[in-house]
Amino acid sequence: QRRVREAVVSTQSTGRIQSHKGVIGIIVVSQEGIPIRTTLDNATTVQYAGLIHELTIKAKSTVRDIDPQNDLTFLRIRSKKHEIMVAPDKDYLLIVIQDPSVNS
């Protein structure tokens, strides 16, 4: 069932998300921080997957420390050049990198 979910997320969602204006790339990362699927080159994928995975773990922990009944559902990071959106799930992270200056 886990592989079926990953396959569905990988094919349907990534195709739909990638078609939006401004989307630079999409990475699906396993719970262990290993990239499962990507639309970016290998070096960029490994860098983003590792760093965003660590940041997401910290953010989840912070949310839980503030309120043990709560959980992280979405993480959005915006810089001058990019916007990184992270949708954590039980089995994976969906990371979308986009150029915020491009109108959707």
Side-chain angles (χ1 to χ4, degrees):
Q1 185 179 4
R2 181 177 174 179
R3 287 179 184 229
V4 171
R5 273 184 72 171
E6 289 172 357
V8 168
V9 167
S10 297
T11 56
Q12 293 176 350
S13 296
T14 56
R16 189 172 56 245
I17 294 166
Q18 187 69 48
S19 69
H20 289 288
K21 289 181 184 176
V23 172
I24 295 166
I26 301 165
I27 308 167
V28 178
V29 181
S30 74
Q31 188 177 17
E32 295 80 27
I34 299 164
I36 299 168
R37 183 169 171 91
T38 184
T39 61
L40 300 167
D41 64 83
N42 188 56
T44 304
T45 297
V46 169
Q47 181 182 33
Y48 273 92
L51 294 171
I52 298 300
H53 180 255
E54 285 181 38
L55 183 61
T56 304
I57 289 170
K58 278 285 193 194
K60 280 183 176 186
S61 177
T62 301
V63 168
R64 284 287 176 107
D65 286 348
I66 292 168
D67 179 357
Q69 301 298 316
N70 207 353
D71 200 9
L72 181 72
T73 57
F74 195 77
L75 179 62
R76 183 173 167 180
I77 306 148
R78 188 164 179 160
S79 67
K80 290 179 182 177
K81 293 183 178 180
H82 298 111
E83 184 173 41
I84 304 166
M85 294 165 289
V86 184
D89 190 70
K90 189 180 104 187
D91 298 324
Y92 58 85
L93 297 177
L94 176 63
I95 303 168
V96 178
I97 300 129
Q98 72 177 16
D99 181 345
S101 67
V102 176
N103 294 331
S104 24

